[in-house]
Amino acid sequence: MRYRILDGFRGFFLVFMVIVHSNLTLNAALGRFNHHYFGWVEDAQGFIFLSGLVVGLVYGGILDKKGPSALWKAVFKRCGEIYKYHIALILLFLLGALTVFSNADVLKSYATEPAYFTLASATLISASMHMGILPMYIYFFMATPLFLMAFKRGYIAPVVIVSLSLWIFAQTGMLETIQRALEAFVAHYGVKMKFSIFFNIFGWQVLFTMGLFVGYRLANGKLNLDWLKQPQWTFAAYIGMATIVALGIFDRIIFNELISPGFSAAFLARTDRGVFADIYFVAFLADLFVVTWLLVAGINSPVRLIRGAARVVHSVFSHKALVFLGQHSLQVFAFHMLVVYGIDIAFKGRPPAPLLANGLLILCVLSLYIPAWLHAQVQRREKAKKAAAKQAGALATAPLASVD
């Protein structure tokens, strides 16, 4: 169940990624019913944390069973797979910008600076809209063996210190200052483009690292969450729930300018999602703690409402529809980019009528099952081929074995 539920959570975040990203253009009423409108936790945060957890679970097992060399080999192989999807999207967008979609806003960087922007994107130092997760994921993946080997040796505290120090560095804005300097430098030579993937990797790595540690503990059987069943943590969970509600209300106060436009502007000026600012960090920790507590201890709560909430979390996030998407997350994420860009090109500046907008939003979600199904078929065929080759090999060596 817990492995299925990890895929279920990833599937959930992918569904709401396509909803939120598509609805920036469609402006459909259905698209406003999502957790982005109540709180400071978004799909990208959960997706990065869970990616780290799954990586720690899978590649931590490789480290324990086969050693560091096998770990590095597996990591490089996976980075190559991710990069193939990344570069394929870049080339498709470049082709579109240079042919029929040269006036599309979403492809503007490819159209105005095709060579330089494509090169910058291919080398993971720039990205077009919503593309930042793939290069960020590759960066995190490359650092994974170092962190996993540190965990294996028991060096948990140094990793925590390094990760928090990098997060603090992200809050200084130094990386963004370097990026602006680089942009000014190339602009001096007539190249106008941004060097940004929209995520400060030094800030966001804290989520991946947290997930990596949890996943590694799960891989080697040392993840024990029974302490969450103690009465003190029940009380802490209630505080966490109150914190989530308070942050959700504060979210609406800020974005609806309920105090004043000046207050909201002043707060947002020092609250940068790109660097994973403090309020995003606190909100994520509150959500992570409460959801984990519900899964581990909430199901046995004496409070009927809490038990009901725990059952909902279990049933929703282990539903086969979400699990199926999560099992093919790379393919689904890449396809969602095509969907979002297609919607932007088709309706930017001229949103469709409400009924059509809501219908298109539903179709965007349903379309995610296309790449998941196709990848599942590819996996099934590959598995069948391997089984057939193994069986053929066994038959070929059987006579020799009988003679021996």
Side-chain angles (χ1 to χ4, degrees):
M1 173 60 68
R2 63 187 177 186
Y3 296 103
R4 282 179 57 83
I5 211 166
L6 293 179
D7 286 325
F9 272 105
R10 288 204 293 180
F12 173 85
F13 292 132
L14 286 165
V15 166
F16 278 93
M17 271 189 195
V18 80
I19 289 174
V20 172
H21 291 164
S22 297
N23 211 46
L24 291 173
T25 302
L26 294 174
N27 195 30
L30 285 176
R32 301 189 193 102
F33 290 94
N34 66 74
H35 56 97
H36 285 240
Y37 285 85
F38 193 78
W40 302 82
V41 178
E42 302 168 343
D43 304 301
Q45 296 151 24
F47 193 74
I48 292 298
F49 172 79
L50 281 171
S51 295
L53 198 161
V54 173
V55 168
L57 175 62
V58 174
Y59 293 86
I62 293 174
L63 174 63
D64 286 345
K65 294 175 183 177
K66 300 181 180 179
S69 60
L71 171 63
W72 280 105
K73 183 178 179 180
V75 164
F76 277 117
K77 180 180 178 181
R78 183 58 175 170
C79 284
E81 292 173 357
I82 298 169
Y83 188 76
K84 287 177 184 177
Y85 283 90
H86 178 66
I87 200 68
L89 287 171
I90 290 171
L91 294 177
L92 279 173
F93 297 152
L94 174 64
L95 180 63
L98 295 180
T99 54
V100 293
F101 304 122
S102 58
N103 294 323
D105 287 346
V106 74
L107 301 176
K108 184 178 180 180
S109 296
Y110 291 101
T112 56
E113 295 290 348
Y116 293 113
F117 186 74
T118 301
L119 179 62
S121 298
T123 53
L124 312 180
I125 61 174
S126 191
S128 53
M129 185 179 71
H130 307 316
M131 276 282 286
I133 284 184
L134 289 180
M136 180 166 63
Y137 197 21
I138 293 173
Y139 282 125
F140 295 163
F141 228 117
M142 294 301 293
T144 289
L146 300 177
F147 283 163
L148 287 180
M149 287 188 286
F151 292 150
K152 183 176 177 64
R153 297 176 182 178
Y155 294 159
I156 299 169
V159 172
V160 172
I161 292 171
V162 168
S163 183
L164 288 177
S165 297
L166 291 174
W167 177 79
I168 292 170
F169 171 74
Q171 309 313 303
T172 65
M174 286 297 296
L175 180 61
E176 288 71 25
T177 300
I178 294 171
Q179 289 171 341
R180 286 193 294 269
L182 183 58
E183 290 165 8
F185 175 77
V186 298
H188 180 72
Y189 294 95
V191 179
K192 295 182 179 180
M193 58 182 290
K194 288 187 174 295
F195 290 94
S196 173
I197 62 170
F198 301 96
F199 295 95
N200 185 311
I201 60 172
F202 297 108
W204 283 74
Q205 56 73 35
V206 72
L207 291 171
F208 188 87
T209 304
M210 287 166 52
L212 201 64
F213 174 71
V214 175
Y216 182 67
R217 299 286 288 187
L218 183 60
N220 58 31
K222 294 181 179 179
L223 184 66
N224 186 348
L225 299 176
D226 286 344
W227 52 272
L228 286 171
K229 299 177 181 178
Q230 297 173 6
Q232 63 171 328
W233 293 106
T234 299
F235 185 64
Y238 294 156
I239 296 174
M241 293 175 194
T243 301
I244 291 171
V245 172
L247 287 170
I249 294 172
F250 185 63
D251 179 293
R252 291 300 86 207
I253 289 173
I254 292 298
F255 287 97
N256 289 344
E257 300 180 344
L258 297 182
I259 294 179
S260 72
F263 178 83
S264 295
F267 181 81
L268 292 174
R270 57 184 178 84
T271 306
D272 188 353
R273 172 186 179 270
V275 302
F276 194 50
D278 48 9
I279 193 168
Y280 291 99
F281 199 176
V282 171
F284 179 81
L285 291 176
D287 278 32
L288 177 64
F289 171 68
V290 169
V291 170
T292 304
W293 181 85
L294 284 172
L295 291 171
V296 174
I299 200 73
N300 297 315
S301 172
V303 181
R304 180 180 296 180
L305 183 62
I306 298 298
R307 290 199 309 273
R311 282 195 292 269
V312 168
V313 171
H314 273 280
S315 60
V316 169
F317 294 104
S318 59
H319 194 280
K320 60 182 180 181
L322 293 179
V323 171
F324 183 61
L325 290 180
Q327 289 171 338
H328 309 279
S329 58
L330 175 58
Q331 292 72 30
V332 172
F333 177 84
F335 183 82
H336 123 278
M337 292 299 306
L338 298 178
V339 170
V340 171
Y341 275 47
I343 290 291
D344 189 272
I345 290 170
F347 298 103
K348 185 71 170 181
R350 49 185 187 283
L355 183 61
L356 178 58
N358 285 292
L360 285 171
L361 193 67
I362 293 172
L363 287 177
C364 287
V365 173
L366 294 178
S367 71
L368 298 182
Y369 288 91
I370 297 173
W373 182 82
L374 290 174
H375 187 245
Q377 299 308 306
V378 171
Q379 287 182 320
R380 193 172 291 115
R381 285 197 295 269
E382 289 179 349
K383 187 176 180 179
K385 286 181 181 179
K386 289 180 180 179
K390 184 177 181 181
Q391 185 178 11
L395 291 174
T397 57
L400 296 177
S402 62
V403 172
D404 292 340

